[in-house]
């Protein structure tokens, strides 16, 4: 029963992804590798669409993956399953919110969690980089190392990164620029 | 009661609809609707909800919605708010994903998405740089971040274990540090 498995996987993601939408990315990548439901290409499409459409990015990613795994109902199941654990936890915490947020142990746990989530998302960048910037397809055909690195892609990546850091505009703007550049320059 | 819950659902539907991106992207619209228009909460309370939401599992936008819904109408309010904030995503993403399946092999779409993928990679790397600056404050942090990064890249270990282990490591190190001092 695909819907039950999907629900179970997304309940786990909702329970263990701490720190917001982007923190679910490493879990989604591992889910694809483990189950074969979707590949790395779909993951990069997923991030692109989730960043550039209305709605919180974490919710958008859950719906996108769920839809591509099991259709319309799959998207609904994945999304609801992902928010279910936090609804339960938050309702429980709400009653003693002040005590929770001033707890020493919560602060201690986050002393370890913040760097860990940074490391996890950095690892996700590596696998996105492999499919997005490196020319894996051509390299696999020819086996030649120079074919792996595309100067055009690498240059575009650098320009994007520098302008994102420098101008700090909305991601939607950068994605729109990239879409136009991709069509005009035939990426 | 039912009418109020429907109102709650529609309010969060509207806010989900105009939020782009993640985390604090929802803050401006939330302030306008909840603090300025309705005076349900103060500015400080909204900021507190965001701060606590980051320290809990789940998507920040839905976490904040649950807190506000609960504050107003207990558990039914929390559920109405959470469902409201995710509904626009479900509708819009389902439509786009369905369209994508028809057009994803069109050359122009592929060219656009190839470049968008590169842009997205830069966007996430930029987010990691910001997170590093905010969250990695000392050598212990560097060690944890690098260790988790290496384990995630080179092994098949589940992120679940890495998250649990680092939370315990944080508690253990802070307690040990306190003992010495």
């Amino acid at each position: 029963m695909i819907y039950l498995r999907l629900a179970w996987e997304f309940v786990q993601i909702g329970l263990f992804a701490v720190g917001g939408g982007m923190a679910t990315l490493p879990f989604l990548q591992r889910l694809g590798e483990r189950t074969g439901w979707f590949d790395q290409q779909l993951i990069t499409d997923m991030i692109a669409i989730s960043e550039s459409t209305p709605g919180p990015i974490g919710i958008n990613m859950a719906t996108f993956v769920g839809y591509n795994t099991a259709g319309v109902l799959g998207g609904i199941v994945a999304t609801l399953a992902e928010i279910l654990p936090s609804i339960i936890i938050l309702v429980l915490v709400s009653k003693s919110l002040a005590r929770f947020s001033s707890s020493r142990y919560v602060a201690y746990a986050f002393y370890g969690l913040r760097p860990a989530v940074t490391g996890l998302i950095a690892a996700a960048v590596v696998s996105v980089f492999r499919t997005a910037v490196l020319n894996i397809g051509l390299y696999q055909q020819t086996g030649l190392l120079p074919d792996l690195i595309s100067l055009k892609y690498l240059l575009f990546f650098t320009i994007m990164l520098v302008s994102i850091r420098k101008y700090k505009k909305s991601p939607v703007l950068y994605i729109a620029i990239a879409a136009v550049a991709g069509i005009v320059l035939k990426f | 009661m039912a009418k109020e819950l429907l109102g709650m659902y529609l309010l969060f539907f509207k806010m989900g609809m105009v939020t782009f991106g993640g985390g604090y992207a929802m803050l401006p619209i939330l302030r306008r609707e909840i603090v300025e228009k309705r005076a349900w909460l103060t500015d400080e309370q909204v900021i507190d909800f965001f701060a606590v939401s980051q320290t809990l599992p789940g998507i920040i936008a839905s976490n904040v919605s649950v807190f506000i819904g609960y504050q107003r109408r207990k558990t039914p309010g929390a559920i109405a708010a959470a469902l409201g904030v995710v509904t626009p995503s479900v509708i819009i993403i389902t439509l786009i994903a369905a369209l994508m399946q028809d057009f994803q092999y069109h050359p122009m779409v592929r060219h656009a998405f190839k470049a968008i993928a590169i842009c997205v990679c830069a966007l996430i790397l930029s987010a990691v740089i910001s997170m590093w600056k905010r969250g990695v404050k000392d050598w212990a942090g560097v060690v944890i971040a690098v260790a988790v990064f290496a384990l995630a890249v080179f092994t098949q270990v589940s992120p679940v274990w890495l998250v649990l282990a680092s939370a315990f490591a944080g508690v253990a190190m802070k307690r040990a540090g306190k003992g010495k001092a």
Side-chain angles (χ1 to χ4, degrees):
Chain A
M1 181 66 176
I2 184 78
Y3 300 117
L4 278 180
R5 272 208 66 194
L6 202 60
W8 173 235
E9 295 290 349
F10 276 87
V11 162
Q12 290 180 58
I13 295 176
L15 190 57
F16 290 106
V18 182
M22 212 37 110
T24 64
L25 178 60
F27 291 85
L28 293 172
Q29 280 181 335
R30 184 52 48 89
L31 178 65
E33 287 163 16
R34 235 181 47 235
T35 58
W37 285 341
F38 47 88
D39 57 11
Q40 184 61 43
Q41 177 66 58
L42 188 107
I43 292 275
T44 48
D45 288 354
M46 167 194 82
I47 307 167
I49 289 170
S50 304
E51 288 249 34
S52 54
T53 50
I57 180 165
I59 304 296
N60 290 355
M61 297 203 295
T63 306
F64 190 82
V65 165
Y67 177 87
N68 279 286
T69 305
V72 177
L73 195 54
I76 296 170
V77 167
T79 309
L80 293 182
E82 189 172 278
I83 62 169
L84 181 67
S86 59
I87 295 180
I88 296 170
I89 293 170
L90 266 64
V91 166
L92 294 176
V93 168
S94 279
K95 289 172 187 148
S96 48
L97 192 61
R99 220 184 319 149
F100 174 83
S101 50
S102 60
S103 158
R104 263 188 314 162
Y105 284 93
V106 172
Y108 290 177
F110 267 84
Y111 177 70
L113 273 173
R114 269 190 213 102
V117 173
T118 308
L120 271 179
I121 301 180
V125 173
V126 170
S127 42
V128 173
F129 189 87
R130 265 193 291 225
T131 36
V133 184
L134 298 180
N135 222 336
I136 295 277
L138 187 63
Y139 173 66
Q140 277 166 348
Q141 278 170 25
T142 63
L144 298 170
L145 208 56
D147 284 343
L148 185 63
I149 295 153
S150 153
L151 229 55
K152 181 162 85 172
Y153 295 166
L154 214 55
L155 188 66
F156 186 64
F157 175 77
T158 313
I159 294 170
M160 277 291 159
L161 184 63
V162 170
S163 27
I164 291 163
R165 298 299 302 171
K166 199 170 164 198
Y167 302 112
K168 302 191 187 305
K169 299 273 184 227
S170 157
V172 185
L173 178 71
Y174 296 108
I175 289 171
I177 293 171
V180 175
I183 293 169
V184 173
L185 302 172
K186 294 214 185 308
F187 266 60
Chain B
M1 181 77 171
K3 204 175 168 190
E4 273 184 67
L5 287 178
L6 181 67
M8 182 83 80
Y9 174 86
L10 292 175
L11 171 63
F12 281 89
F13 183 102
K14 182 173 148 196
M15 291 196 282
M17 188 91 191
V18 295
T19 298
F20 277 84
Y24 284 92
M26 202 178 157
L27 185 58
I29 175 81
L30 208 66
R31 283 201 52 232
R32 194 163 67 231
E33 295 291 334
I34 303 292
V35 180
E36 286 167 17
K37 271 201 203 162
R38 289 176 180 75
W40 284 355
L41 297 170
T42 64
D43 252 344
E44 290 72 30
Q45 284 173 306
V46 169
I47 301 286
D48 281 352
F49 280 160
F50 265 97
V52 184
S53 293
Q54 284 187 309
T55 69
L56 287 166
I59 311 299
I60 293 170
S62 76
N63 286 359
V64 172
S65 308
V66 169
F67 273 138
I68 297 173
Y70 185 85
Q71 174 101 353
R72 297 294 299 174
R73 288 279 163 255
K74 299 293 165 198
T75 308
I79 294 169
L83 291 179
V85 83
V86 304
T87 308
S89 289
V90 171
I91 296 169
I92 295 167
I93 294 293
T94 300
L95 289 174
I96 293 176
L99 274 174
M100 272 279 299
Q101 287 190 337
D102 291 335
F103 293 105
Q104 62 176 332
Y105 299 110
H106 191 285
M108 226 156 93
V109 174
R110 264 345 315 162
H111 288 321
F113 267 91
K114 180 70 206 175
I116 291 173
I118 296 171
C119 169
V120 160
C121 189
L123 281 169
I124 315 173
L125 181 57
S126 166
V128 170
I129 295 170
S130 304
M131 287 173 76
W132 179 281
K133 284 183 179 164
R134 267 201 318 267
V136 184
K137 301 227 184 273
D138 51 20
W139 279 107
V142 174
V143 170
I144 293 175
V146 172
V148 167
F149 173 79
L151 285 167
V153 171
F154 299 111
T155 73
Q156 294 294 310
V157 59
S158 165
V160 172
W161 297 116
L162 297 174
V163 164
L164 286 176
S166 60
F168 279 115
V171 173
M173 279 190 293
K174 278 285 189 183
R175 285 194 61 170
K178 273 232 152 127
K180 263 181 266 163

